[in-house]
Structures are given as structure tokens and as C-alpha cells.
Amino acid sequence: MAIDISTRTRKDLLIHLSLVISLFLAAFLGFFFVYLPWSTNHGQSITVPDLRKMNLDDVRSALDERRLDYVVSDCTFVPGVAPYTVLSQYPFPNSLVKEGRNIYLTVTMGTAPMIRMPDLIGNGLRSAQSYLRSVGLAEGTIRYIPDIAENAILEQWYNGRKIEPGTQLPKGSRIDLVVGNGIGNTELDVPSLIGLSQEEAEIYIKGSDLRVGTVLYKTVPGAKPGTVVEQRPAANSGVKVHVGEIIDIWIAGTPDNDTGEGKIEDQP
């Protein structure tokens, strides 16, 4: 049955306008105070937890409880910090957010990036220390030995072995440095090493406040394998050496098959 609303009189017109305005206001108020709050979870704010120093597995559990999610926005390497540890987050801890909000995280990398070992030999100690830090390597132990070059880097070591420039190392690796102590002016007679084993010769050299230089291998008929058959400088030649100088030695035979250390002298 149709409802006939008459607008013939002024009173009828006012009643008609009032009904239209009332319906409009009801729709307006219903949208903003009923539908919109319901559709946007108005008033249902969630406090963001502090995720810093957490592992990603723990982050997942903490956010699932609050109906939040995360996105890894950046990765970086920090020596000494476990992989996939949260370093920073946004929104910040204790912020109020809506359900389902993404929390953006910066985490540590799973593997360390590789760094080329620089050549520090001959550099001053402070310069070498600064350079190590600048390329992402760490300073290990510093050992002083007799040498006329005070505070100069004489050798660079990693994990108990001399490390050559250009060798790839994990970022954050500790590099041990051998440094001259500046007291190498004392002159010494060159020790005679011929016939000694390589180990005995190296102990003798170091015990004389000298340094082991290049170790080469050569075939010498009749010589006992593993013994010194030649040295530079030679003993009894009248040549004097200073404390901290280098003695090169040649060993009879071939390099150690187990370690692969040493190299064979090029034959003329």
C-alpha cells in the first residue's frame, strides 16, 4: 500500500523536509559512529612490544599473541651478535597500533660478509689499527719483537698463521700484529744453521733476537731431508746483522705434505 505524503500545504512541506533531514542525519551518524568504528576496529589499539635483542623465532611468537606481523626491512652484520637478532624496530616499543599492523625490523645477518685482508706491513701501528677498523676487521694481540723500525708492522697473522694481503676473511675477524720495538741497533754475528732441522733452526733464530724469513725447499744430494742446507746471510762471512733482522733458510727435501707449508725453490 503506497503512502501518499501531501505537500500541498506549508505544514505538509515542513513535515516532508523534516523526514528527509532525519533520514540523512540517521545515515550520517550511523556511518561515522557505528559502521566506521566497527570496520576500523576503533578503540582496539595494541601496544607494540620491545623486540630488540630478540631472535626472529621469539619475535614471531610475541607478535602472534598480539595479532601483529613483522617485515625485515634491513640486514646488517655486527660482530659478536647472534644471527637474526633484532637491532631496531619501527613502530618503536610501547607505540599504539591497530591489529594486523606490520612492525619493520632491522636484524643481524646470518653470515658475515667477506673482507679482503689489507697489506699492513711497514705501516705504523696506529695507522694499521685505524685501517683494520675502517675495513671491518678487528685488532687481535700485539706482539713486539726486536727491530730498528719502532712501532712498524712487521707481520700480520690470523688464526695462528701469517695472512697474505688480499686473502678473503669474514668481517670482524681478529688480526694479530707483530710490531718492531725500535731496539734493533745491536749487531750480531750471523748464526750457523747448516745441518740443523727446520724446527731447531727457527728456535735458534728467534733465540738470537732475529726473525725467520723465507723458508724454501731444494733437493741436495746426500743431505738429510728436513735439515738446513743453505742460509742467507751465510754464517762466517764476516757479515753482521742487527737485532730483529731476517734470516732466510733452505731446507733439504720437499714441503710438508700434511700442512702444505713452504715452497720449492725455482730451479735455474
Side-chain angles (χ1 to χ4, degrees), residues 157-198:
W157 291 64
Y158 171 68
N159 276 354
R161 291 176 178 267
K162 288 184 182 180
I163 183 74
E164 294 296 327
T167 304
Q168 295 279 355
L169 297 174
K171 187 175 182 179
S173 297
R174 292 191 171 276
I175 306 301
D176 300 324
L177 301 174
V178 177
V179 184
N181 62 8
I183 56 172
N185 290 325
T186 304
E187 287 190 334
L188 303 171
D189 291 323
V190 178
S192 178
L193 308 173
I194 306 301
L196 298 179
S197 68
Q198 180 179 348

Side-chain angles (χ1 to χ4, degrees), residues 27 44 47 60 90-91 123 133 165 202 221 242 257 264:
Q44 297 183 15
T47 301
R60 169 60 67 189
Y90 183 82
N123 288 295
R133 289 192 293 268
E202 291 182 354
H242 292 90
N257 292 327
I264 300 174

Side-chain angles (χ1 to χ4, degrees), residues 14 26 105 144 199 265:
L14 292 173
L105 307 176
Y144 288 88
E199 182 180 3
E265 180 185 36

Side-chain angles (χ1 to χ4, degrees), residues 69-86:
D69 206 346
Y70 73 86
V71 173
V72 175
S73 59
D74 193 17
C75 291
T76 187
F77 177 75
V78 180
V81 179
Y84 309 116
T85 298
V86 176

Side-chain angles (χ1 to χ4, degrees), residues 11-175:
K11 182 178 179 181
D12 291 338
L13 181 60
L14 292 173
I15 292 174
H16 183 71
L17 289 174
S18 297
L19 288 172
V20 172
I21 292 171
S22 297
L23 290 172
F24 177 77
L25 286 175
F28 178 83
L29 295 174
F31 178 79
F32 282 99
F33 292 98
V34 177
Y35 173 76
L36 195 59
W38 172 80
S39 64
T40 59
N41 294 315
H42 181 71
Q44 297 183 15
S45 296
I46 298 171
T47 301
V48 177
D50 189 350
L51 306 174
R52 293 169 300 182
K53 298 183 180 181
M54 283 189 182
N55 183 273
L56 283 184
D57 291 336
D58 297 328
V59 167
R60 169 60 67 189
S61 300
L63 294 183
D64 282 348
E65 294 175 358
R66 295 167 173 81
R67 297 183 180 180
L68 299 174
D69 206 346
Y70 73 86
V71 173
V72 175
S73 59
D74 193 17
C75 291
T76 187
F77 177 75
V78 180
V81 179
Y84 309 116
T85 298
V86 176
L87 300 174
S88 63
Q89 66 181 86
Y90 183 82
F92 302 116
N94 301 318
S95 300
L96 296 178
V97 298
K98 295 291 189 292
E99 180 182 309
R101 173 68 185 270
N102 283 330
I103 310 301
Y104 295 90
L105 307 176
T106 297
V107 303
T108 54
M109 298 175 67
T111 57
M114 301 302 287
I115 303 292
R116 284 184 177 275
M117 177 65 203
D119 186 358
L120 304 176
I121 306 302
N123 288 295
L125 178 57
R126 288 189 179 181
S127 174
Q129 291 169 324
S130 297
Y131 195 67
L132 283 175
R133 289 192 293 268
S134 71
V135 299
L137 297 172
E139 177 191 325
T141 60
I142 298 176
R143 181 166 60 91
Y144 288 88
I145 65 173
D147 193 274
I148 56 175
E150 184 174 7
N151 284 327
I153 306 301
L154 304 176
E155 298 173 3
Q156 51 194 32
W157 291 64
Y158 171 68
N159 276 354
R161 291 176 178 267
K162 288 184 182 180
I163 183 74
E164 294 296 327
T167 304
Q168 295 279 355
L169 297 174
K171 187 175 182 179
S173 297
R174 292 191 171 276
I175 306 301

Side-chain angles (χ1 to χ4, degrees), residues 214-266:
T214 303
V215 178
L216 295 170
Y217 288 79
K218 64 187 301 184
T219 300
V220 177
K224 182 180 178 181
T227 60
V228 178
V229 293
E230 186 178 338
Q231 66 180 79
R232 185 174 57 203
N236 304 318
S237 61
V239 175
K240 296 284 187 177
V241 291
H242 292 90
V243 169
E245 286 194 17
I246 288 174
I247 304 293
D248 299 323
I249 56 176
W250 282 256
I251 307 297
T254 57
D256 190 324
N257 292 327
D258 294 329
T259 65
E261 292 182 346
K263 56 183 179 179
I264 300 174
E265 180 185 36
D266 293 333

